[in-house]
Amino acid sequence: MLTPLQSASLIVGFGLLVQGYSVWKLRAALDWRRLWPFIAGAVIGVPAGVSLLTWADPKSVRIAVGAILIAYSLYAFFRPQLKLVGTVTPAADIAVGFVNGLLGGLAGLAGIVVTIWCNLRGLPKDVQRATFQPVAVVVFVMAALWLGAKGALSLDTAKLFALGLPFLFAGTWLGLKLFGRIDEATFRKIVLALLFVSGAAVLF
């Protein structure tokens, strides 16, 4: 029903509000030594993603992203806790940040790749949130600026944005309430389930 530019613009706008508020709540837990490689990669990835958005085939992008999310979530859910062995280098985090920024600019999926990466590393849920949410905010801000520069924002998109705000606020409130009441194992399952649902929604 929406054009790729409208979809990306709405996701970026809603995501910036949700993640921005969450990061403000988590501001005392932010570790910039852990965050800078992801942000450095995103700075390069976002412009590349927005540029691809203007000429890439939306259906192909949607199928590829949806298939990856579904495949990863199913694989991780039916196996024991996945965890990378050994020390992760800043170069690896930069590469993850780049792909994350690329998808953020291309499809508005600003935190998906970092979320998967944190899950693979078996990080505690508080550390995961304090990693992928600040990175998502940076990606959303950059994507919003690039989309605005390309004239992607329109009155129709603004109306859809206003229509979705009450539901956005309700979901954010509920999510923050639930976060403090779940353990690590439940958090991991919820993240994987949401990745699966995101992949299915994008694919179908």
Side-chain angles (χ1 to χ4, degrees), residues 132-196:
F132 64 73
Q133 288 189 321
V135 174
V137 168
V138 173
V139 172
F140 280 135
V141 169
M142 290 187 61
L145 292 174
W146 278 87
L147 287 169
K150 287 187 173 291
L153 306 181
S154 65
L155 181 60
D156 288 340
T157 304
K159 290 179 179 178
L160 291 170
F161 181 79
L163 182 64
L165 280 178
F167 302 97
L168 181 82
F169 292 142
T172 302
W173 176 83
L174 180 60
L176 290 172
K177 288 292 183 183
L178 291 175
F179 179 78
R181 301 183 180 182
I182 57 177
D183 57 22
E184 297 287 346
T186 304
F187 177 78
R188 176 175 175 270
K189 291 176 181 178
I190 290 175
V191 168
L192 292 175
L194 290 176
L195 287 174
F196 178 85

Side-chain angles (χ1 to χ4, degrees), residues 46-65:
V46 170
V50 173
S51 297
L52 284 174
L53 181 62
T54 60
W55 62 266
D57 177 23
K59 184 177 181 180
S60 298
V61 173
R62 186 174 68 248
I63 291 174
V65 172

